[in-house]
Amino acid sequence: MLDIKYIRENPDKVKKGIAAKNEKDRVDNVLQLDEERRDIIGQVEELKAKRNKVSSQIPQMKKSGEDTTTVLAEMKEVSDKISEFDKKQRDVEEQLNDILMYIPNLPHDSVPVGKTVEENVVVREWLPEGFSFENDKKFLDHIELGKKLNILDFERGAKISGSGFPVYMAKGATLERALINFMLDFHLNEHNYTEVLPPFLVNSESMKGTGQLPKMAEDMYYIEKDDLYAIPTAEVPITNLHRKEILSENELPKSYVAYSACFRREAGSYGKEAKGFLRVHQFNKVELVKFVKPETSYDELENIVSDAEDILKALKIPYRILLLCTGDLSFSAAKSYDIETWSPAENKWLEASSCSNFEDFQARRANIKFRREKEKKPEFIHTLNGSGLATSRLMVSLLENYQTREGTIEVPEVLQKYTNFNRIY
RNA sequence: GGAGAGAUGGCAGAGUGGUUGAAUGCGGCGGUCUUGAAAACCGUUAAGGAUGCAAGUCCUUCCGGGGUUCGAAUCCCUGUCUCUCCGCCA
């Protein structure tokens, strides 16, 4: 959520930012409701001040035997007026809030302006030693590999749940578990994150806090009976860990790493892009979340990206970093980098991570603040997160890049102590 | 699922219709004392909003929402959460 004061004072900047993100501009509507709201507050507070003043005098009047009937009658009228204004105020604030919740975060100045993914900027590329895009090897794709080696079963997943719910079998399941454990341990030991294992179902207030609701309601699994949503990413429960809290300066930055299953309805997407692991309804992800002081958040964004990159370097999987243009930026983000890993069978890059700075957008929605040493007023913190990383897309690149000419899989060296085998055949 | 109890400031814990945003204790912060520390003593210690250059003034908030009343932390209704007992169950 944007600061209403900021919108009031910089309507043109806000409009420009919204336009760059291809979102609907309702700034004028906000400004009008804001004015209405402040007008009502002025009137109702005047009445309340009167009520408080007179109410405190009544006991004294009674004590000294004065007749209070006129005053009581008069105050009754004041009270009725107050309820009237209170109701009006609630209505206006509800309308205002509803619209505010649909206004996206503004892009940071360093974000390139652009409409589509075509305008994202490649920042850097990393290739393992000896890697070449030119290769005479005939690559099987991950689906063929999964079937041949009996480690992935998409058909049975479809039988028990529906399409997009893959089953990991045998060494495939072990490899997946190894990957998760490796990533958790790595961030824990090498990057100093604190591990959290959160609930996978959260309430709607949490979803509003991170910005999934109200806009993304259709993309999430919802359990009506209990009014709970399946998390699309661990970002949601982890960021909401500190909802409605005031943190102290010396505990920042807070860095969390969390494994979770992620659930996405992916409504409206189908076709070639959806095959195998490329688009699934449930996948595993290790997520990085940071709570930081505002002045450090852009440095911390670079840190998160580099923390995620370290995993790929350790796994020796080719990747590149994209700086997203304004049009490709998500609703809550001010600046994002995507990390894409190379898929030799698809012959293209696959998004395996997205790292974002939300500045105070989520903090304002979720009411997460901190207090500086010696300062009185709490300030909103900045939140960031990044996948570090999602296993599904990563698994595609891993299986394909590590396949041998015989169609078996070498287990990456850093995973071997987790798998206790070094080859899948 | 059934029965009961409860939710107050950073924490503990008073408060059952009228200067109670809230006693008291602990903790935190500042000070006196001390070579330093402790103890003791004194002071201070919530968040949000409206208005204003500011100082300030005013409003809201005692789990959330609604109601009664001139006036609600206190009474009524409702929701959520926590605890105890019973049942069921991994």
Side-chain angles (χ1 to χ4, degrees):
Chain A
M1 187 151 59
L2 298 181
D3 184 2
I4 181 71
K5 277 186 207 146
Y6 184 85
I7 300 177
R8 196 187 296 150
E9 285 157 19
N10 308 281
D12 293 333
K13 278 192 203 169
V14 174
K15 285 176 179 222
K16 205 177 142 202
I18 294 173
K21 272 194 161 185
N22 302 323
E23 297 266 0
K24 195 174 169 192
D25 181 352
R26 295 195 250 190
V27 172
D28 291 329
N29 207 342
V30 166
L31 292 176
Q32 185 210 325
L33 284 165
D34 174 53
E35 207 173 313
E36 215 174 304
R37 169 177 163 271
R38 286 186 296 152
D39 179 55
I40 294 170
I41 287 175
Q43 296 185 60
V44 76
E45 286 196 351
E46 199 176 314
L47 288 168
K48 282 180 177 172
K50 186 177 180 186
R51 178 178 70 183
N52 290 342
K53 203 171 156 207
V54 175
S55 279
S56 71
Q57 287 168 349
I58 286 177
Q60 290 158 24
M61 293 175 71
K62 281 187 174 169
K63 228 183 209 168
S64 60
E66 275 183 70
D67 181 26
T68 54
T69 45
T70 341
V71 190
L72 291 189
E74 200 184 313
M75 283 302 99
K76 170 81 180 148
E77 257 178 65
V78 171
S79 250
D80 288 346
K81 246 188 239 169
I82 288 173
S83 347
E84 214 177 287
F85 276 114
D86 271 345
K87 193 181 175 311
K88 248 199 246 175
Q89 188 187 339
R90 272 202 302 272
D91 282 356
V92 170
E93 280 181 353
E94 199 185 314
Q95 284 181 54
L96 181 60
N97 202 45
D98 281 354
I99 298 176
L100 241 30
M101 291 295 271
Y102 276 98
I103 293 186
N105 200 2
L106 306 176
H108 187 250
D109 286 341
S110 62
V111 173
V113 176
K115 288 252 180 257
T116 67
V117 292
E118 308 295 320
E119 288 162 272
N120 293 340
V121 177
V122 178
V123 178
R124 59 182 171 270
E125 194 177 276
W126 184 90
L127 307 172
E129 247 183 81
F131 174 85
S132 168
F133 290 105
E134 310 299 326
N135 196 318
D136 59 354
K137 188 154 70 178
K138 161 96 176 76
F139 285 100
L140 298 177
D141 70 24
H142 72 283
I143 300 175
E144 295 162 331
L145 284 168
K147 200 163 200 160
K148 178 170 179 288
L149 299 171
N150 203 19
I151 54 174
L152 298 173
D153 197 330
F154 293 97
E155 284 80 12
R156 288 201 173 94
K159 175 170 71 183
I160 57 183
S161 298
S163 83
F165 290 92
V167 181
Y168 301 77
M169 297 293 290
K171 284 184 173 169
T174 307
L175 183 63
E176 174 78 357
R177 180 162 54 85
L179 201 49
I180 293 165
N181 283 337
F182 162 69
M183 292 193 288
L184 283 171
D185 284 348
F186 198 88
H187 292 306
L188 222 54
N189 300 326
E190 306 295 321
H191 300 140
N192 230 355
Y193 285 79
T194 303
E195 184 173 359
V196 182
L197 184 56
F200 295 174
L201 298 178
V202 301
N203 56 32
S204 56
E205 210 180 327
S206 294
M207 285 299 186
K208 282 176 193 156
T210 32
Q212 277 74 19
L213 282 179
K215 210 187 158 226
M216 306 302 218
E218 282 309 300
D219 292 317
M220 294 185 296
Y221 288 98
Y222 175 58
I223 296 157
E224 196 173 3
K225 199 168 181 180
D226 297 293
D227 193 26
L228 290 170
Y229 292 84
I231 57 171
T233 157
E235 163 198 348
V236 178
I238 304 304
T239 305
N240 278 282
L241 224 42
H242 296 298
R243 188 171 75 218
K244 294 183 183 168
E245 288 184 17
I246 300 174
L247 307 171
S248 55
E249 182 175 17
N250 60 28
E251 57 186 323
L252 299 179
K254 274 184 177 294
S255 304
Y256 293 112
V257 57
Y259 157 76
S260 87
C262 302
F263 303 89
R264 301 187 180 181
R265 292 188 63 227
E266 301 292 355
S269 49
Y270 49 85
K272 192 167 182 281
E273 288 292 302
K275 72 173 183 179
F277 268 141
L278 299 183
R279 197 168 291 280
V280 286
H281 292 306
Q282 179 184 326
F283 60 96
N284 296 308
K285 183 154 65 72
V286 169
E287 182 78 0
L288 307 173
V289 177
K290 279 176 185 271
F291 299 80
V292 308
K293 289 195 268 181
E295 62 270 26
T296 65
S297 68
Y298 280 94
D299 289 338
E300 293 284 7
L301 177 61
E302 302 299 323
N303 291 341
I304 282 199
V305 174
S306 115
D307 289 345
E309 281 182 78
D310 286 347
I311 295 281
L312 294 171
K313 284 178 182 161
L315 288 170
K316 300 192 167 112
I317 290 176
Y319 69 86
R320 65 176 191 177
I321 310 287
L322 294 180
L323 172 57
L324 299 192
C325 72
T326 56
D328 201 24
L329 222 45
S330 73
F331 179 76
S332 303
K335 182 175 183 175
S336 299
Y337 291 102
D338 275 5
I339 302 178
E340 298 183 327
T341 58
W342 179 250
S343 159
E346 302 294 327
N347 197 36
K348 67 180 185 190
W349 297 96
L350 304 174
E351 180 189 338
S353 172
S354 190
C355 303
S356 305
N357 185 359
F358 302 97
E359 298 189 356
D360 64 4
F361 188 82
Q362 292 180 328
R364 187 167 270 115
R365 287 179 162 235
N367 199 9
I368 311 169
K369 298 186 170 178
F370 79 104
R371 200 192 317 267
R372 290 182 199 275
E373 216 82 38
K374 306 250 189 280
E375 290 284 331
K376 276 201 139 157
K377 280 265 168 231
E379 297 171 47
F380 288 112
I381 53 133
H382 282 195
T383 58
L384 301 101
N385 70 52
S387 349
L389 306 100
T391 60
S392 50
R393 306 279 177 74
L394 183 54
M395 189 62 90
V396 174
S397 289
L398 193 157
L399 294 178
E400 291 178 4
N401 281 294
Y402 275 88
Q403 66 182 290
T404 62
R405 284 178 195 282
E406 299 75 46
T408 63
I409 311 284
E410 303 286 351
V411 175
E413 207 180 322
V414 291
L415 294 184
Q416 289 176 11
K417 68 170 175 175
Y418 292 93
T419 53
N420 290 318
F421 53 80
N422 51 29
R423 214 156 61 88
I424 301 176
Y425 49 89

